[in-house]
């Protein structure tokens, strides 16, 4: 059963010293790439409920923002997880930059590298301010 308060998961890369924090607050889920200097990348991974027709980023009190329907897939390539146990992260070096590939139940759910604001999400159907489509 899903904890209505959500969950956190944290992964570290021993090579780069970067951390990836996955935060599902019971409403929306994001990944945050963190260096010793702070957050250096972020990506929306999924909405836990129905996507709203209008974006909510005009209201800072709603942060973290759910992705609106026009930017979100209706059928995800994975089941929305009930706990942090569903997440795995594979760290890759790409042109000397550490990149986190985020897997949800063994399905690629997102890609995040330093400077990605936003990163790539398998739940995005179009590029927007919270996520880019994987491969763009």
């Amino acid at each position: 059963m899903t904890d209505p308060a959500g969950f956190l998961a944290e992964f570290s890369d021993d090579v780069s010293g970067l951390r990836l924090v996955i935060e599902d607050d019971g409403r929306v889920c994001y990944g945050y790439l963190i260096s010793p200097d702070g957050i250096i990348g972020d990506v929306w991974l999924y909405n836990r409920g129905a996507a709203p027709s209008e974006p909510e980023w005009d209201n800072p009190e709603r942060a973290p923002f759910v992705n609106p329907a026009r930017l979100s897939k209706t059928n995800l390539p994975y089941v929305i997880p009930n706990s942090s146990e569903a997440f795995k992260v594979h760290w890759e070096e790409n042109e000397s930059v550490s990149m986190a590939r985020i897997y949800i139940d063994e399905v690629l759910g997102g890609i995040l590298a330093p400077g990605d604001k936003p990163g790539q999400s398998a739940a995005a159907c179009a590029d927007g301010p919270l996520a880019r489509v994987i491969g763009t």
Side-chain angles (χ1 to χ4, degrees):
M1 176 143 200
T2 303
D3 181 347
F7 54 81
L8 284 172
E10 186 171 329
F11 305 88
S12 297
D13 179 28
D14 294 334
V15 175
S16 68
L18 295 176
R19 292 183 305 128
L20 177 74
V21 173
I22 306 288
E23 180 181 20
D24 179 323
D25 68 0
R27 189 173 81 92
V28 64
C29 182
Y30 277 83
Y32 301 99
L33 193 61
I34 303 171
S35 78
D37 296 326
I39 296 173
I40 59 170
D42 58 67
V43 63
W44 165 84
L45 294 170
Y46 56 80
N47 297 332
R48 190 157 281 287
S53 58
E54 294 298 318
E56 59 180 26
W57 46 73
D58 290 339
N59 182 354
E61 293 176 7
R62 297 289 297 167
F65 306 117
V66 296
N67 214 18
R70 67 182 169 83
L71 301 174
S72 305
K73 289 181 180 175
T74 53
N75 294 315
L76 300 180
Y78 50 80
V79 174
I80 292 178
N82 291 325
S83 75
S84 61
E85 300 298 317
F87 289 90
K88 303 264 186 285
V89 173
H90 296 272
W91 296 94
E92 295 180 4
E93 290 291 324
N94 186 5
E95 299 177 17
S96 75
V97 173
S98 286
M99 176 175 55
R101 296 175 68 84
I102 304 163
Y103 290 86
I104 302 170
D105 287 329
E106 308 300 326
V107 176
L108 182 62
I111 301 172
L112 195 52
D116 283 353
K117 291 188 178 193
Q120 300 174 58
S121 173
C125 67
D127 292 350
L130 307 181
R132 297 185 337 261
V133 175
I134 288 182
T136 63

